[in-house]
Amino acid sequence: MNSRWIPTMCYQCKAECAILARVEDGVLKEVRGNPRARGKACVKGMAGVSLEYSPDRLTHPLKRVGHRGEGKFEPCSWDEALHAITAKLRELRDRGEAHKLTASFFPHSITDPKWRFLNAYGGFINTALPHCDSAKIVACIKAMGGVPNHHIPPNFASVPKGGVIILAGRHAMGCLDDAAVPRDILDAKARGAILVVIDPVFTADAAKADWWIPVRPSGDTALFTGMTHHIVMNGLHNKAFVENWIREGDFEKLKDYLADKTPEAMSAICDVPTRDIVKLAEMCASAPSVGVDSFKGIMLGQALDFGHAWTNFLAVTGNIDNPGGQPLPDLTPLSPVLPAPAGPSLAEKGWHRTGPDKGKFGKYSFIMEPTWYEAQAIKNGDLKVLVTAECNPALTEMGQEEWRKAVTMTDEKGQYQLEMLVSYEIMLSETSRYADYVLPDKSYFERWELLYMPWWYNFGHGVALRQPVVEAPGECRHSNEVFIELGKRLCPEYFAFKDDLEYYDIQLAGLGLSVGKLQDMGGLWSPGTTGFRKYEHGGFGTPSKKMHLYWEDLEDADQALPRVFLAPEYDADADAFPFFLISYRTIFHQGSGQWTHNNPQLRDPVGGFLDNPVLINAATARRLGIEDGAVVTLRSRTGSLKARAKCTERIRPDCLGLHHGFGSTVGRVAVLGGGVSDNALIPDSGMTLDWQDLVGGESHVSTRVTVEG
Amino acid sequence: MKQLSLAIDLDRCIGCKTCVAACRNAKGLVDHASALPGAIPYYLRVESDRQGVYPDISIRSWVMPCQHCKNAACIKACKAEAIVKDEQTGIVRILAEKCTGSRACIEACPYGVIQFDAARNKAHKCDLCWDRVHTGQKPVCAEVCLTDAIRFGEKELLKMELEAEGKEIVKKMSAQSMLYFRTPG
């Protein structure tokens, strides 16, 4: 028996942890965390073995034969599929509309060849992550001049005794950043750190917290601003940091702004008692460190305001790039692959992609477009070819119903307004049902990828190699290989390298490495250090080299300083829809749906999360006469669905909770049913954008609903 | 009798079920081509309880493997003498070659941890990774635990270790050979 552990990188979720895969006679058997990279893999990662050998794996290309949405296909050859895609893209470019191509995928890394193809051809990337951390990233860029990749959680391994860890609307024990996070948080706690969880839902993190604060949804901006008021007005701020590292004049502007943002005033907004705001503020001001991990604010839109309140709070308490505070990213010196394509100008070509609201997007500041643009752009005639990979907009993104409508819209001649939809899949999904061509992708156990992040949770900055550990079935080809092939056909001057391996070799030359050398080293390279207070050498990346608390470029949008009121969807329809539906997550399922929803181990009641009950506070349920396990109807202004009620003490009485982006019905396991998608209830996205965070690139994920037994 | 044991930290278990999936893979309990939710064998499961009402609540989780009981009911129930408690390790094992598939052990086990393989007509369960511990390795669940909430070792040594650290062994949960502990206060 030939059995060995091979280092590679997980991709059961966006965290991409370093793992070891045990392969026995060519068959994948087990997964572990890689001990050379802080060494943990979570339950999703373990269940990747079931994904690899799912009978639902696609093994050859498919061509649509029915209408979009019917899911009727016939097999076709790669030659035929690639010929059709190349011809369509050539035609699009020849008529001056290359920017009407969007590829929707998760950018693992700036080394991703898909990104290069889009820049060379002139199309756009869509992250498929509008509900994620983009506003926080924008806040980081605006306040500190850093360009983080992903959302950069605190370095939990560095939190000192007495340091405060705040998880605000963040399910850190769901391993969203790295599977080492739960262990590192508990280790920090064991050495005397204080864990505070701010969330309307009592999460797995809250179960380990010293203090759970069940804040009102979207009240976190007010909560942090109230704390900042108390700290600044009472002289509890970090004076050395404020004097040396905040841009001249900004602290005074902040003080003026804070004048009426007292803990009392903020308490009325966020529904956290004044004494608790003061207590938490004083705890943070006197702690050796404070790290705040958040997602997009507490479940609602208007997330850039939270991001701004967050950076202001960290600045006045001096918790920037200190042990236990907010890390700043660092750069790994990879070599560019020349000539480097510039990419289309978002300002020139991009704004018009937002339909009737395009005029509002002048301040739009995130570099990648969220999924909900797609429906708008298709209706507008501004999106003509859509390629999806590793995402599932028909199910797991806000505005899913609008997306489904838009991709099936026809013109007066009966032609689809979206001229081509290509879906790369390792198994069929809701999205692929709408595709003209479905291409069989390789799983993460079968492909090469060079992963590069400016800051990586588990070992500081560096690069990591994903390598094939088993053979791909049938005719599977990785989407990156296919995009390189398309690049060779359509823009060969930018694809003058042999294949993905040679492309990565060129980039690795900057480190004196190659794919082969990196493989020999165990697939991981890092300078071995994270580094603290890096701003002391050369300042911040802002024009002033200091932190910017006041954002003058957003004066017109009235967001030069954070707006503290609740997000607009909190108050909308409050009379007709008395409850607030918020999304939450578990460790068992990732956002894009199919790989975990259609995985028998992760849907197993003993090993995972079977269905998606609606969480309802036990007292609320009693008042409404709803019994545990009863099927209830949830209704919003745009949709309704039925779900099993889970009566619990774990949620605010005025809220209901659903696991986000659930409800897949495609695939051998998923077809058994159980679970609903909250996106069916969330209005606005892709329709009017009225509630969107137009300057931060966020989409809201919550809405008001009724519940009936 | 010498007894190998797991010590489960109630302060660290987050109920993530990573141990369940890793155990299933390691023991070959999943037929990936046909497995369906609710029908996959398992050698350990996660349990939890809640105290209090909103907003003053606490929840704790723990794993429940075979307890490798001192006087195991499954051993007494098995007429085929297919279940033995190993003197060297204290591990309770089901000897597949002797198992007649009577299911008496499943009825007798107070912890509900014994599985039945209908295709082979055999009972099977956690053997504390018998093959691994004989080569100096930890059981898979202890190795993979996401939060390092599962310790492995000789029961008496684990008890001494916990005592030295000031931990409280929750005796109500530790009637058999597994230990459950927490930090007092």
Side-chain angles (χ1 to χ4, degrees):
Chain A
M1 185 177 72
N2 176 14
S3 173
R4 64 192 181 114
W5 291 97
I6 305 170
T8 187
M9 303 298 287
C10 189
Y11 189 58
Q12 275 283 63
C13 78
K14 313 300 181 193
E16 307 195 82
C17 299
I19 55 170
L20 301 175
R22 188 170 74 81
V23 175
E24 189 180 297
D25 296 330
V27 178
L28 174 69
K29 295 285 187 182
E30 290 185 83
V31 168
R32 292 281 190 278
N34 185 339
R36 289 186 52 230
R38 315 204 67 238
K40 292 291 178 186
C42 78
V43 60
K44 288 187 293 296
M46 299 296 170
V49 185
S50 287
L51 172 81
E52 178 64 26
Y53 296 113
S54 168
D56 290 335
R57 286 289 303 271
L58 279 173
T59 54
H60 51 259
L62 299 173
K63 183 170 72 173
R64 177 172 60 82
V65 291
H67 295 295
R68 283 190 188 158
E70 283 186 337
K72 289 186 185 163
F73 301 101
E74 65 181 23
C76 75
S77 68
W78 270 107
D79 278 350
E80 183 187 343
L82 285 180
H83 179 76
I85 295 164
T86 307
K88 172 53 74 180
L89 289 176
R90 191 165 276 135
E91 179 206 326
L92 191 72
R93 187 174 59 185
D94 287 350
R95 64 188 206 227
E97 296 185 336
H99 59 284
K100 295 186 177 180
L101 163 71
T102 287
S104 194
F105 66 95
F106 179 68
H108 302 272
S109 158
I110 59 172
T111 62
D112 197 312
K114 291 191 277 295
W115 203 326
R116 181 177 183 85
F117 174 81
L118 289 169
N119 284 343
Y121 174 84
F124 284 97
I125 177 184
N126 174 320
T127 63
L129 294 169
H131 51 289
C132 194
D133 303 282
S134 54
K136 202 176 154 200
I137 293 171
V138 172
C140 213
I141 294 168
K142 285 182 174 297
M144 302 176 223
V147 185
N149 188 334
H150 212 228
H151 85 289
I152 311 188
N155 181 334
F156 298 111
S158 71
V159 179
K161 182 180 180 182
V164 178
I165 298 171
I166 298 178
L167 304 177
R170 183 70 177 175
H171 184 196
M173 291 194 188
C175 299
L176 290 159
D177 307 304
D178 190 284
V181 161
R183 187 260 325 265
D184 287 353
I185 290 177
L186 293 174
D187 281 354
K189 210 168 159 259
R191 62 178 177 265
I194 299 156
L195 178 62
V196 180
V197 171
I198 300 170
D199 203 304
V201 179
F202 189 88
T203 57
D205 313 69
K208 299 300 176 197
D210 297 286
W211 188 7
W212 174 45
I213 301 175
V215 69
R216 176 177 283 154
S218 92
D220 44 354
T221 307
L223 172 59
F224 275 83
T225 304
M227 286 202 288
T228 306
H229 171 103
H230 186 79
I231 289 166
V232 168
M233 298 307 182
N234 291 286
L236 303 176
H237 54 281
N238 183 324
K239 295 175 185 70
F241 187 88
V242 167
E243 276 167 30
N244 293 319
W245 294 109
I246 290 180
R247 179 174 57 167
E248 197 179 335
D250 275 25
F251 188 65
E252 289 67 31
K253 284 178 183 161
L254 178 72
K255 269 182 105 166
D256 291 346
Y257 153 85
L258 287 172
D260 62 350
K261 314 257 178 334
T262 61
E264 292 80 6
M266 297 301 99
S267 170
I269 298 171
C270 67
D271 197 30
V272 175
T274 302
R275 65 177 180 281
D276 286 348
I277 298 177
V278 170
K279 180 181 155 187
L280 186 56
E282 292 184 352
M283 183 191 287
C284 291
S286 62
S289 75
V290 185
V292 183
D293 200 1
S294 78
F295 202 48
K296 54 163 290 178
I298 307 290
M299 319 293 182
L300 287 95
Q302 211 164 291
L304 190 62
D305 291 307
F306 172 73
H308 199 169
W310 163 73
T311 49
N312 285 347
F313 170 81
L314 293 171
V316 301
T317 56
N319 281 294
I320 305 294
D321 217 21
N322 54 323
Q326 179 60 32
L328 290 175
D330 212 339
L331 297 177
T332 295
L334 291 181
S335 297
V337 180
L338 299 173
S345 162
L346 192 66
E348 281 178 33
K349 307 278 193 188
W351 308 133
H352 70 284
R353 302 266 302 279
T354 55
D357 299 287
K358 63 184 177 184
K360 297 179 184 174
F361 279 79
K363 299 291 182 191
Y364 182 77
S365 50
F366 195 55
I367 53 172
M368 293 180 271
E369 296 191 328
T371 302
W372 43 266
Y373 281 92
E374 288 174 5
Q376 284 282 347
I378 292 167
K379 286 183 230 169
N380 256 16
D382 290 329
L383 172 56
K384 291 296 182 188
V385 179
L386 176 61
V387 184
T388 64
E390 298 175 351
C391 64
N392 194 1
L395 181 74
T396 60
E397 301 301 335
M398 286 60 69
Q400 64 175 46
E401 298 305 317
E402 286 301 303
W403 188 93
R404 291 179 188 215
K405 273 187 227 162
V407 299
T408 51
M409 278 172 57
T410 51
D411 61 18
E412 62 280 1
K413 291 179 191 159
Q415 302 293 312
Y416 285 120
Q417 204 141 301
L418 177 71
E419 294 170 18
M420 183 177 274
L421 175 54
V422 178
S423 161
Y424 287 90
E425 301 280 5
I426 60 172
M427 51 175 66
L428 286 171
S429 70
E430 267 74 8
T431 296
S432 62
R433 294 176 67 87
Y434 292 83
D436 302 313
Y437 289 93
V438 186
L439 305 178
D441 210 348
K442 286 179 177 173
S443 82
Y444 59 92
F445 292 112
E446 299 158 0
R447 70 202 197 205
W448 295 98
E449 264 169 303
L450 181 64
L451 302 181
Y452 160 59
M453 304 273 185
W455 197 90
W456 201 300
Y457 180 78
N458 46 14
F459 56 95
H461 67 93
V463 293
L465 188 68
R466 175 172 291 134
Q467 59 178 324
V469 300
V470 289
E471 293 282 329
E475 298 173 27
C476 290
R477 295 177 68 183
H478 183 211
S479 54
N480 283 359
E481 298 172 49
V482 177
F483 266 94
I484 289 171
E485 173 64 28
L486 291 173
K488 286 177 185 293
R489 294 182 186 201
L490 288 159
C491 21
E493 65 274 30
Y494 294 112
F495 287 85
F497 43 84
K498 183 167 155 259
D499 54 17
D500 50 351
L501 288 177
E502 190 173 313
Y503 174 68
Y504 299 139
D505 274 345
I506 297 168
Q507 293 172 314
L508 283 169
L511 298 170
L513 292 175
S514 63
V515 170
K517 277 189 197 169
L518 188 56
Q519 201 177 11
D520 291 343
M521 290 164 61
L524 298 167
W525 178 91
S526 160
T529 175
T530 303
F532 294 108
R533 299 188 178 88
K534 295 182 283 292
Y535 56 82
E536 288 177 350
H537 309 281
F540 288 91
T542 53
S544 70
K545 302 287 179 195
K546 297 192 174 184
M547 276 193 76
H548 291 190
L549 308 188
Y550 184 85
W551 299 345
E552 52 274 17
D553 59 321
L554 296 184
E555 279 173 348
D556 295 346
D558 196 27
Q559 283 183 259
L561 285 158
R563 302 169 299 177
V564 293
F565 48 80
L566 300 176
E569 63 267 35
Y570 186 87
D571 293 323
D573 309 324
D575 295 337
F577 299 95
F579 292 98
F580 213 79
L581 179 70
I582 51 179
S583 62
Y584 72 101
R585 287 171 184 265
T586 69
I587 195 171
F588 307 104
H589 295 283
Q590 55 102 15
S592 301
Q594 207 61 5
W595 311 337
T596 60
H597 296 183
N598 194 35
N599 185 311
Q601 294 208 62
L602 295 170
R603 294 295 291 270
D604 178 71
V606 173
F609 184 74
L610 177 62
D611 61 0
N612 190 13
V614 55
L615 303 185
I616 179 167
N617 178 278
T620 303
R622 275 195 299 277
R623 182 168 60 77
L624 298 175
I626 293 170
E627 289 187 9
D628 191 50
V631 174
V632 296
T633 301
L634 302 182
R635 212 178 298 280
S636 73
R637 64 149 81 173
T638 54
S640 71
L641 54 80
K642 289 183 185 300
R644 180 172 66 85
K646 171 73 182 165
C647 301
T648 176
E649 304 293 338
R650 295 176 47 220
I651 188 166
R652 278 174 64 99
D654 57 352
C655 292
L656 304 172
L658 277 177
H659 195 297
H660 183 59
F662 218 83
S664 173
T665 57
V666 179
R668 195 181 59 92
V669 173
V671 76
L672 299 173
V676 291
S677 170
D678 58 344
N679 289 318
L681 295 171
I682 297 169
D684 192 50
S685 297
M687 283 195 278
T688 70
L689 311 183
D690 279 353
W691 295 347
Q692 301 299 346
D693 190 340
L694 298 180
V695 299
E698 282 289 350
S699 179
H700 61 273
V701 296
S702 304
T703 189
R704 282 207 167 263
V705 294
T706 59
V707 57
E708 295 150 21
Chain B
M1 174 182 270
K2 289 172 284 185
Q3 179 68 54
L4 291 178
S5 175
L6 301 174
I8 291 123
D9 190 340
L10 298 168
D11 296 327
R12 293 187 77 103
C13 178
I14 59 171
C16 68
K17 305 182 182 179
T18 301
C19 52
V20 178
C23 169
R24 282 173 162 170
N25 287 343
K27 299 292 184 181
L29 299 181
V30 188
D31 178 347
H32 306 293
S34 64
L36 287 174
I40 311 171
Y42 52 93
Y43 285 172
L44 72 172
R45 63 178 187 269
V46 172
E47 297 185 344
S48 64
D49 69 5
R50 170 189 54 80
Q51 303 291 324
V53 293
Y54 175 91
D56 298 311
I57 59 173
S58 65
I59 293 177
R60 64 180 186 182
S61 304
W62 62 89
V63 295
M64 176 61 67
C66 170
Q67 299 290 299
H68 299 280
C69 304
K70 207 169 170 183
N71 298 302
C74 58
I75 295 177
K76 288 180 197 147
C78 181
K79 302 294 179 232
E81 298 184 343
I83 311 182
V84 294
K85 187 166 177 75
D86 182 68
E87 288 204 0
Q88 290 291 313
T89 59
I91 294 174
V92 173
R93 300 173 69 202
I94 298 177
L95 306 173
E97 65 276 15
K98 285 192 176 180
C99 176
T100 59
S102 74
R103 307 192 193 207
C105 56
I106 296 173
E107 295 292 321
C109 174
Y111 298 96
V113 294
I114 305 181
Q115 308 290 293
F116 191 72
D117 182 343
R120 293 173 58 236
N121 195 36
K122 305 281 181 194
H124 60 130
K125 68 167 190 71
C126 161
D127 64 357
L128 213 57
C129 289
W130 172 267
D131 293 340
R132 291 173 58 93
V133 301
H134 281 290
T135 59
Q137 298 176 82
K138 295 179 192 175
V140 169
C141 57
E143 180 182 290
V144 303
C145 178
L146 207 54
T147 58
D148 296 341
I150 306 179
R151 302 187 195 183
F152 168 71
E154 194 169 331
K155 186 178 175 188
E156 287 309 303
L157 290 175
L158 284 172
K159 277 172 87 169
M160 285 183 223
E161 191 176 296
L162 297 175
E163 192 185 339
E165 292 176 27
K167 303 291 186 188
E168 173 196 345
I169 294 173
V170 184
K171 290 191 178 134
K172 216 160 73 177
M173 299 176 72
S174 304
Q176 301 296 342
S177 305
M178 301 295 110
L179 298 167
Y180 295 86
F181 69 96
R182 59 187 289 276
T183 304

